[in-house]
Amino acid sequence: SIYEMFGNECCLSTGEVIKVVGFKINKLIASICENNEVSQFSAKVELPLNFPGLYKVVADKIPYVSIEEITKKVSIGPTRFGHPCFYSSEDIKLANLTVKHGEQITFNSVEEVNGTMAVNCGVVRNNQSHSFTLPLSQEGKFYECEDDQIYTLKEIAEWKIPKCRNRIVKLSNTLHTWDSSNPLPENFDGCLILTPVYEVQAVMKFRKDIVHILSDLDVEVKDITDCYDVSSFLQPLSLEDVFERTSKEFPLVAEIMEGPSGSRSPYNLLHTGKEIVIYKKYQATRVLASEIRSDSPKRHFLIPLSYKGKFKRRPREFPTAYDLEIARSEKEQLHVVATKAFDSPHKELFSVSVGDQFLVQQCQTSEVLYEGRKKVIDVLACEQILSDTYKKVLLPMYMEGGFVEVIHDKKQYQLSEICKEFRLPFNVKVSVRDLSVEEDVLAAVPGLQFEEEITDSYLLISSSSSPVDSWEVPVYRLNMSVHLLSKDVQTGVPPATKTTVEEISEEQYYMVRRYENQTLHPPPRPPKKPT
């Protein structure tokens, strides 16, 4: 049988030995869903895994009958996606704990406990986590819990579609403008039933790449696992697999079996067949930045603190007086100009005209007369800048106006200085580009907003043959497979790390912000008008 996949022709001849190393969803067939069933008016459409948008997963109503069935059909693993939640329809009595029916159980990992395969689980009660194990033999009715997270289609395909089941998802955010090439109806915001189409990932005896075989290929195979030395095949590893190794196992020498897509450096150097050294794994800090522009789409970047360019400040915009209070700092006085008029309903508070300039002082309370009664409200104390003097004024904190910052600071800053001295978000533009790289992608951007610092997982790698530079590669955003070589690393000291500013897609931007903000409480809402 001869077939072509991704432009590579592959011949499967009679007697060929293939080692299956994985199954992967290649694409999704989507149908519009009404009342958890396929709409009779819905045509089936094919969606690639990179189809834009963010989706919420609808909990599956069909129960699992044992813990073993869950482990066979649902992805459970060490990554942030690999902790599915279920509840039991009946109480589960354990040696030192009773899991109540309907209580949310988080499945963390599968491992051998005292000679028996079991799942490490946890429940949260009164903000305290309780850990326990459930054997695979545990039977009952286990239902999927509701999931309030949002996912890309690719994440759903990789982690959220159980084997032998479909998945219903609800469109949460389209993230793109509808056009005629979009297979979904215009302004669609309903539910879809996703049916996966799989491909088999395999390695062959005399090939060093991963072979992709569509599951509907018409070829007969025979299982010979028990009578064949499978160790003679290459073992492909994803970057996540490499990252799971202990720190003592690094550095490693590996050969790329499947390189990442993209033409930007250094990813264009990571092609199939290239030998690399993986020096270490670690967590690194990045600054999440977005292009400042009124129209969309905006570009988004992850900038390492080692970036060697310099920045000058750009004015920030503030829609309310409350935002001025959040932005003010002890380091310098905030100077703003009003861009929108505001008529105060209280004579005790100031009415703002376009062009008025203020120095922001502090938040305080003030007594105002409202419908014949005195009320105490939050206000922002400011000094209005007049031609030859200053006038103390009070602005209501609920005021919806518009202000733009006046910048007096002409200093040029390194990225690390900004993170240390100022509160994010912070507006800048590149004043001196990073001369250590051939092309500084940030230099061409007219304005950037530094939004927040994030921490992410990276591997430090370099070329094995000519280790001039080393690069940090993101573990969870780079699709790459390698196999390890039994070679010694000539030196455990990596060459100088080259700065890489990573441009990320709109979906990746929302994912990064989602993970970071899981641990943050939302800021308090601005005060409302007195009632």
Side-chain angles (χ1 to χ4, degrees), residues 175-402:
L175 294 181
H176 69 303
T177 305
W178 188 91
D179 58 41
S180 57
S181 64
N182 190 329
L184 300 178
E186 189 171 1
N187 299 321
F188 176 74
D189 63 352
C191 290
L192 297 170
I193 295 182
L194 303 179
T195 304
V197 177
Y198 288 89
E199 68 175 34
V200 176
Q201 297 171 311
V203 288
M204 299 167 73
K205 198 68 178 257
F206 302 107
R207 291 183 64 145
K208 288 190 173 182
D209 57 348
I210 296 174
V211 180
H212 301 261
I213 307 170
L214 281 178
S215 56
D216 57 0
L217 184 70
D218 187 15
V219 60
E220 291 185 4
V221 294
K222 182 181 179 182
D223 185 359
I224 57 169
T225 307
D226 295 337
C227 55
Y228 198 86
D229 179 16
V230 293
S231 63
S232 61
F233 284 91
L234 300 177
Q235 177 60 46
L237 300 171
S238 67
L239 294 187
E240 290 98 321
D241 295 329
V242 175
F243 193 82
E244 285 172 30
R245 292 181 167 251
T246 63
S247 297
K248 293 180 181 178
E249 295 178 69
F250 294 87
L252 304 164
V253 181
E255 182 177 342
I256 297 174
M257 297 184 71
E258 199 164 65
S261 58
S263 57
R264 290 193 54 79
S265 177
Y267 306 143
N268 58 340
L269 305 174
L270 304 176
H271 51 77
T272 301
K274 186 177 182 69
E275 277 191 24
I276 58 172
V277 178
I278 306 172
Y279 289 97
K280 60 179 179 177
K281 67 171 190 175
Y282 53 93
Q283 301 285 311
T285 300
R286 293 289 185 271
V287 173
L288 178 63
S290 294
E291 183 181 18
I292 298 173
R293 57 187 296 173
S294 55
D295 57 338
S296 59
K298 296 178 181 178
R299 297 169 72 189
H300 306 285
F301 305 92
L302 289 173
I303 311 172
L305 296 181
S306 60
Y307 176 81
K308 296 178 179 62
K310 290 189 175 181
F311 301 93
K312 277 189 174 180
R313 296 172 64 173
R314 276 199 56 173
R316 291 171 288 178
E317 294 182 2
F318 307 100
T320 69
Y322 179 71
D323 293 295
L324 296 177
E325 163 61 16
I326 293 175
R328 73 180 182 89
S329 71
E330 302 299 326
K331 179 179 171 60
E332 63 176 356
Q333 199 157 37
L334 182 58
H335 178 188
V336 295
V337 177
T339 57
K340 186 178 176 183
F342 169 77
D343 288 324
S344 172
H346 314 290
K347 65 178 182 179
E348 300 90 343
L349 305 181
F350 189 70
S351 291
V352 175
S353 301
V354 173
D356 284 350
Q357 296 193 43
F358 302 95
L359 296 176
V360 178
Q361 302 288 332
Q362 63 190 25
C363 175
Q364 61 186 58
T365 57
S366 177
E367 202 174 65
V368 298
L369 201 61
Y370 183 76
E371 294 182 349
R373 291 183 299 165
K374 289 184 176 180
K375 281 211 166 191
V376 176
I377 65 169
D378 290 325
V379 295
L380 189 65
C382 299
E383 287 186 339
Q384 184 189 9
I385 302 174
L386 302 174
S387 57
D388 56 355
T389 185
Y390 297 92
K391 176 185 175 183
K392 292 187 179 297
V393 297
L394 299 177
L395 304 179
M397 201 69 85
Y398 63 77
M399 168 189 167
E400 290 188 11

Side-chain angles (χ1 to χ4, degrees), residues 101-115:
H101 65 276
E103 188 170 21
Q104 179 171 301
I105 308 168
T106 302
F107 286 45
N108 294 314
S109 62
V110 182
E111 59 184 65
E112 190 174 320
V113 179
N114 299 327

